[in-house]
């Protein structure tokens, strides 16, 4: 039997080239014409591009997402009669680079020393080391586990929050979302890598933000809707010593008129913390395709009811 | 027998307080009067403050340096008839914070995204990950070993250089100073944590600097005289894509008229990569004092002939 693959990304040429280096027997790669959408049984797709076309996908049996975030595909109105796999695991190291890059830049005062250099001033000052500081991670999946292991390497104490409060490697302690209000006041650094679900929607809001330490740093790296951005903006205006580093937003690109762009204690980056490198996405797909041919379970399966 | 301790630091009050929390039987802590200098058998001192007074130290038997760098005390003209201990080990984590803070800030393009934020621009771009990059460490002592372990955590390949080319934990490969010219062209990141000795003097100069990769990053965190600063300055002016991050200098403070202050691809910090935290210095001293009383070998002994 021959399989038909629909390529549905903003980098189809790049992916076509990479896929040609893979051993993919019995597979024909199609473009994204209406015919291809109807005929293909396998999709290799960005969730936001695939979502509006799902209802025309008569033959769809398996969709390999090129992203980690698949919320566009699992809203309750969408069909769920196919196998959905996503990208995982490869993001941990990139997220750690992003998080610890900004964390160290802030704590080791890059900006202050840059200004001093501009004025040719030699003024050594004191600072905090990460050693002994407390990191609270919202999420304990593969990305959070990698961040936790980096934090432990830097001598931090790490608490994680997940659905069941189940213990996980690299964390000193793990609690549930219901304990968020107990954990927030103890954390020097808070980082959310949570997916967007009903339970995580806007859990960081004007009420919970008041629980932060006076000099807390808050990262949002998972999904924009875990955080109420307007609440955060007004909170930051009243807490100039706190710092927010945001890579994901409810609406992307973040609209130019949003006041948080200009907030001096907010850092805004355009969803770059952990992009999927095409080489790694192709590696996952090729591995999964081999399993598919052998009718074995695929890796990185998404559970539609959990949402991740 | 009662011991007399000379306190010779810029933070004597702070140290006096911290030492009072330690169990130090038979020890009287003196100020830094000429009498005290003559009478004290134990010195707790900054090397630069102690060096000019050594010849008046009639009773000196042991000097605990509050710094790692003791070159001021071991020049050939100085006496060597006492036991010298310094501070080690505690610097590794701080050096890693400094190095990886600046490394990640550069590679993950903090400056570019800061400028984009100021203009409210959402322009995700591509970047390099540390994974797979090559770090060359000049030095393989306790500081270098800690930096190497951080680099391994971030997925880098690590080569070290030491006197004998002796293998050391956390390094993928270790060579000798004589192999420097073979190693430099392969490194994406070079960091020197070498002490200043005859063999390390100006080993980074106009000849060796030409061996760097086009986008190499060079850190000097050990001693200023390992690097010819004027050579580096003119080299950087001709290689705008290379980047130097300098925390130590031949002359400190770095004179305001030095052109490297204004070099856009140089970052200058005022010897802050790894300060001795007084709490940790006191911990070393109190441990050593207990050994001293028991006439056991002290930790962190400096070998006058090696120079570290």
């Amino acid at each position: 039997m021959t399989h038909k693959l629909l390529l549905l990304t903003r980098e189809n040429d790049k992916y076509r080239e990479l896929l040609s280096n893979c051993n993919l027997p019995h597979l024909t790669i199609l473009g994204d014409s209406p015919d291809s959408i109807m005929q293909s049984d396998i999709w290799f797709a960005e969730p936001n591009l695939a979502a509006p076309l799902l209802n025309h996908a008569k033959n769809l049996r398996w969709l390999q997402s090129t992203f980690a975030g698949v919320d566009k595909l699992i809203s309750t109105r969408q069909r769920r009669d196919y196998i959905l796999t996503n990208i995982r695991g490869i993001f941990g190291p990139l997220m750690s680079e992003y998080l610890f890059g900004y964390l160290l830049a802030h704590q080791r005062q890059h900006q202050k020393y840059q200004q001093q250099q501009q004025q040719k001033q030699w003024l050594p000052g004191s600072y905090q080391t990460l050693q002994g500081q407390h990191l609270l991670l919202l999420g304990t999946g593969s990305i959070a586990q990698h961040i936790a292991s980096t934090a432990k390497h830097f001598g931090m104490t790490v608490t994680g929050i997940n659905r069941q409060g189940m213990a996980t490697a690299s964390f000193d302690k793990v609690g549930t979302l219901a304990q968020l209000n107990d954990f927030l006041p103890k954390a020097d650094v808070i980082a959310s890598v949570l997916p967007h679900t009903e339970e995580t929607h806007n859990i960081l809001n004007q009420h919970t933000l008041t629980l932060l330490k006076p000099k807390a740093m808050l990262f949002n790296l998972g999904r924009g809707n875990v955080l109420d951005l307007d609440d955060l903006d007004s909170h930051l205006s009243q807490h100039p010593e706190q710092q927010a580093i945001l890579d994901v937003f409810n609406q992307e690109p973040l609209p130019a008129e949003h006041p948080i762009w200009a907030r001096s204690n907010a850092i805004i980056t355009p969803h770059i913390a952990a992009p999927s490198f095409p080489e790694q996405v192709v590696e996952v797909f090729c591995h999964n395709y081999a399993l598919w041919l052998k009718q074995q379970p695929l890796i990185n399966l998404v559970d539609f009811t959990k949402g991740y």
Side-chain angles (χ1 to χ4, degrees), chain A:
Chain A
M1 182 193 169
T2 297
H3 295 289
K4 289 180 180 158
L5 178 74
L6 180 74
L7 255 188
L8 203 63
T9 75
R10 284 165 302 173
E11 298 174 276
N12 275 4
D13 290 345
K14 171 84 174 165
Y15 277 116
R16 202 178 290 273
E17 188 195 329
L18 289 168
L19 287 166
S20 73
N21 299 325
C22 237
N23 179 27
L24 299 169
H26 316 299
L27 187 73
T28 309
I29 302 178
L30 307 176
D32 51 3
S33 72
D35 262 8
S36 312
I37 291 164
M38 289 219 291
Q39 288 168 20
S40 318
D41 54 334
I42 305 177
W43 287 29
F44 180 100
E46 295 179 23
N48 50 331
L49 299 181
L53 302 175
L54 275 185
N55 286 333
H56 306 291
K58 293 214 172 147
N59 288 314
L60 175 64
R61 291 187 55 214
W62 163 36
L63 190 156
Q64 172 68 56
S65 162
T66 58
F67 294 172
V70 290
D71 30 338
K72 290 279 194 307
L73 295 173
I74 53 174
S75 77
T76 44
R77 293 202 212 128
Q78 294 279 19
R79 51 188 277 200
R80 300 178 166 198
D81 59 349
Y82 63 98
I83 286 170
L84 176 59
T85 55
N86 69 353
I87 300 298
R88 293 172 208 177
I90 65 173
F91 301 109
L94 298 174
M95 287 277 189
S96 264
E97 290 184 1
Y98 178 95
L99 191 153
F100 285 89
Y102 280 107
L103 178 53
L104 287 167
H106 183 69
Q107 303 240 351
R108 300 293 298 255
Q109 303 171 303
H110 286 196
Q111 211 145 8
K112 178 179 110 177
Y113 287 112
Q114 190 184 11
Q115 285 160 6
Q116 290 185 11
Q117 178 176 352
Q118 282 159 4
Q119 286 151 35
K120 303 179 183 183
Q121 285 184 319
W122 182 276
L123 294 171
S126 61
Y127 59 81
Q128 296 290 314
T129 158
L130 295 189
Q131 295 169 83
Q133 289 199 45
H134 194 141
L135 171 66
L136 174 62
L137 275 169
L138 313 187
T140 61
S142 68
I143 289 172
Q145 282 169 39
H146 192 92
I147 293 172
S149 72
T150 309
K152 295 305 293 177
H153 176 83
F154 280 113
M156 302 180 84
T157 305
V158 188
T159 302
I161 280 185
N162 63 24
R163 203 175 268 247
Q164 272 104 18
M166 220 161 54
T168 308
S170 298
F171 291 86
D172 295 297
K173 191 200 263 185
V174 174
T176 65
L177 264 181
Q179 293 170 280
L180 182 65
N181 292 3
D182 302 327
F183 289 155
L184 283 175
K186 292 172 192 147
D188 301 295
V189 184
I190 299 101
S192 171
V193 289
L194 287 171
H196 182 227
T197 67
E198 273 177 34
E199 293 152 286
T200 65
H201 187 80
N202 280 358
I203 54 166
L204 295 168
N205 55 46
Q206 59 172 324
H207 302 294
T208 51
L209 290 170
T210 59
L211 300 170
L212 298 184
K213 278 192 180 181
K215 296 187 179 181
M217 286 179 82
L218 173 67
F219 288 81
N220 192 13
L221 310 176
R223 276 285 172 257
N225 357 37
V226 165
L227 177 79
D228 187 310
L229 197 62
D230 295 331
D231 282 6
L232 176 67
D233 184 56
S234 71
H235 178 85
L236 287 175
S237 72
Q238 288 154 45
H239 298 82
E241 294 210 280
Q242 293 179 353
Q243 182 84 7
I245 294 94
L246 309 171
D247 187 52
V248 290
F249 302 87
N250 226 329
Q251 193 182 341
E252 293 183 3
L254 177 66
E257 59 271 21
H258 200 287
I260 204 160
W261 277 109
R263 192 68 61 206
S264 63
N265 52 340
I267 289 174
I268 309 294
T269 58
H271 207 142
I272 49 140
S276 319
F277 283 102
E279 290 75 8
Q280 298 171 302
V281 176
V282 166
E283 198 179 315
V284 170
F285 174 77
C286 294
H287 181 71
N288 261 343
Y289 183 72
L291 296 170
W292 183 255
L293 288 182
K294 288 187 263 181
Q295 300 187 302
Q296 288 175 5
L298 304 190
I299 61 166
N300 301 355
L301 262 183
V302 174
D303 180 331
F304 281 100
T305 60
K306 282 194 194 160
Y308 55 87

